Amino acid sequence: MSPPKNRTVAIVGGGLIGLSVGWWLGRLGWDVTAYEGTRDITRSAGYAAAGMLAAQLEQEPGEEHLASLLAHSQRLWPSFRDALEADSGLSLDYQAGGTLMVATDANGLGRLRHDQAYLRRLGWDPQWLMAEEARRLEPWLSPQTLGALFCPSDHHVDPRRVLQALTQVLGPRVVYHASIVQLSPTPHGVEVIQSHGAKQSFDAVILAQGAWAGNPPLVPDLPPLDPVKGQALYVRMSTPCLSHVVWGEDVYLVPRHDNRLYIGATVEPLGFDTRITAGALYHLLKQGRLVVPSILEAEVTESIVGYRPRTLNDTPVIRPSIVPNIIMAVGHHRNGVLLAPWTCEVIGELVRRGDF
Ligand SMILES: Cc1cc2nc3c(=O)[nH]c(=O)nc-3n(C[C@H](O)[C@H](O)[C@H](O)COP(=O)(O)OP(=O)(O)OC[C@H]3O[C@@H](n4cnc5c(N)ncnc54)[C@H](O)[C@@H]3O)c2cc1C
């Protein structure tokens, strides 16, 4: 690997993408400073995320152009996990049980048939399971289960563990309460200016502000971005529970190692609306209990709101800005956890070539 063209890099945004890229560039020999506008990582979408690495079941009509990208990043995840776990000494709670999409009524069966045909057209081959096969694989499923699609390669990870591992590795190189309000080109790099006026020059800057990147944009060619609100909740089961991610209609359940289940998530084009609503939690629990009835016995431990950063065509933007020495890494929408390894790979390649 050739040495970096420049040595110092500022990351604007200490969320899942910013910290992943910061860690990655640090491994490539860069001197990294990551600026996070808040006091910790709890505002970030990564903190609110389920952590599904679902190249198959997150695929939606109209997003076919993303299929090979999602699959590629999914394949990168095991080595990304191994490297981050080795560097941090922490487990990411990566679980490789796979994902089940379950039907409990005739409409649901129709939806599964449709999804199976759609995924096959994209080159995937999800397995069709009869009701008894599905319940053998996942005994927590409802007795009303009529059938399921099984995607063994759709794994999951705990994104909070990922954030914890990244903050541990980066240590004091993450600066909190540091909101960046302006970037000024200099003859050899970029000056980064904080809201209280502090300035520092770097050879390069990576923009990774998630859903906040557009207000206001720090470069003129930033693509339009919408925050897409998502609400979710955690419950704690009394005994070890699911060993797979389970999808029902309009809901998914994601197990953590400590008997908690993440039940998510709404998709609401409401901007930065901070409310956690009774209607959203009711909907998630109502849909969730159809596939795993025992969730109604569980203790609710947390309710969550977060903001997915969506571009107009749902495609992340990882490319140099027209302002020299700045690279944008924004717009990961529903798949930022899945796409973190690919984002690091692309940025690693851009800096290796000095192409920014
Ligand atoms: C409810 C929900 C469920 C999700 N589930 C999944 C999933 O299962 N799988 C998956 O792959 N993805 C999932 N996602 C999407 C994923 O979380 C995001 O795509 C990803 O976290 C985006 O990362 P990011 O770093 O770009 O943004 P964020 O994680 O939001 O981080 C951006 C950070 O930048 C900071 N910031 C903003 N402006 C400034 C500034 N001017 N100066 C300094 N700091 C600034 C913010 O405070 C924030 O901490 C989910 C998202 C939500 C909301």
Side-chain angles (χ1 to χ4, degrees):
M1 186 177 304
S2 47
K5 175 182 131 191
N6 299 321
R7 302 301 308 180
T8 57
V9 59
I11 314 281
V12 183
L16 203 122
I17 294 299
L19 296 183
S20 296
V21 171
W23 164 62
W24 200 256
L25 291 180
R27 294 184 112 226
L28 297 181
W30 286 73
D31 181 357
V32 176
T33 304
Y35 292 102
E36 167 54 43
T38 59
R39 69 184 162 83
D40 54 28
I41 35 83
T42 56
R43 174 171 88 160
S44 71
Y47 193 78
M52 295 179 296
L53 309 175
Q56 295 187 54
L57 286 181
E58 273 287 359
Q59 187 71 57
E60 282 192 354
E63 296 179 3
E64 291 77 8
H65 58 288
L66 295 177
S68 58
L69 190 63
L70 299 178
H72 174 68
S73 203
Q74 192 182 56
R75 285 191 295 273
L76 294 176
W77 245 101
S79 54
F80 184 86
R81 171 203 61 201
D82 290 348
L84 183 53
E85 287 188 344
D87 282 5
S88 66
L90 296 176
S91 157
L92 307 187
D93 195 12
Y94 184 101
Q95 297 186 35
T99 298
L100 285 159
M101 182 177 266
V102 175
T104 54
D105 61 20
N107 282 344
L109 273 184
R111 184 171 42 84
L112 288 194
R113 295 265 177 230
H114 172 273
D115 286 350
Q116 184 185 35
Y118 174 69
L119 287 171
R120 281 190 172 156
R121 282 200 298 280
L122 292 176
W124 295 105
D125 192 16
Q127 298 166 27
W128 184 272
L129 301 184
M130 306 301 284
E132 55 280 11
E133 293 174 292
R135 294 198 64 214
R136 212 173 306 126
L137 201 61
E138 188 50 85
W140 289 76
L141 292 182
S142 164
Q144 311 296 325
T145 299
L146 297 178
L149 281 187
F150 179 42
C151 300
S153 60
D154 277 2
H155 301 167
H156 66 283
V157 70
D158 183 344
R160 292 184 182 177
R161 293 278 193 111
V162 178
L163 285 164
Q164 191 189 354
L166 291 165
T167 44
Q168 169 138 329
V169 174
L170 287 165
R173 289 177 288 166
V174 188
V175 183
Y176 295 100
H177 286 300
S179 191
I180 304 306
V181 291
Q182 197 184 333
L183 302 175
S184 294
T186 64
H188 302 293
V190 183
E191 188 174 56
V192 169
I193 304 167
Q194 296 185 39
S195 53
H196 54 75
K199 299 175 180 179
Q200 191 168 345
S201 289
F202 293 87
D203 298 316
V205 170
I206 312 289
L207 290 185
Q209 298 148 270
W212 293 268
N215 46 322
L218 295 176
V219 290
D221 54 336
L222 190 93
L225 280 163
D226 270 339
V228 179
K229 179 183 177 186
Q231 298 184 64
L233 70 151
Y234 269 107
V235 299
R236 189 184 302 281
M237 308 296 274
S238 52
T239 52
C241 58
L242 303 178
S243 47
H244 305 83
V245 174
V246 173
W247 286 57
E249 188 173 353
D250 226 12
V251 72
Y252 47 77
L253 288 74
V254 183
R256 303 283 183 240
H257 75 288
D258 57 0
N259 296 358
R260 283 178 312 141
L261 278 185
Y262 177 105
I263 305 176
T266 62
V267 177
E268 303 168 78
L270 293 177
F272 291 112
D273 175 13
T274 56
R275 293 170 311 142
I276 294 187
T277 61
L281 301 186
Y282 170 72
H283 178 73
L284 294 170
L285 288 167
K286 180 165 70 73
Q287 295 307 102
R289 73 170 268 271
L290 295 176
V291 283
V292 180
S294 50
I295 61 169
L296 292 193
E297 318 291 321
E299 177 192 358
V300 176
T301 56
E302 188 181 346
S303 54
I304 302 164
V305 63
Y307 309 96
R308 306 171 184 89
R310 183 179 64 184
T311 58
L312 291 178
N313 63 358
D314 291 321
T315 308
V317 172
I318 320 292
R319 61 171 158 78
S321 165
I322 55 171
V323 183
N325 302 309
I326 298 177
I327 298 176
M328 299 179 274
V330 294
H332 292 74
H333 193 207
R334 299 194 319 273
N335 287 306
V337 185
L338 171 59
L339 291 174
W342 165 77
T343 305
C344 292
E345 183 182 69
V346 173
I347 291 187
E349 186 55 21
L350 285 171
V351 301
R352 190 188 64 76
R353 295 200 311 253
D355 190 6
F356 58 96

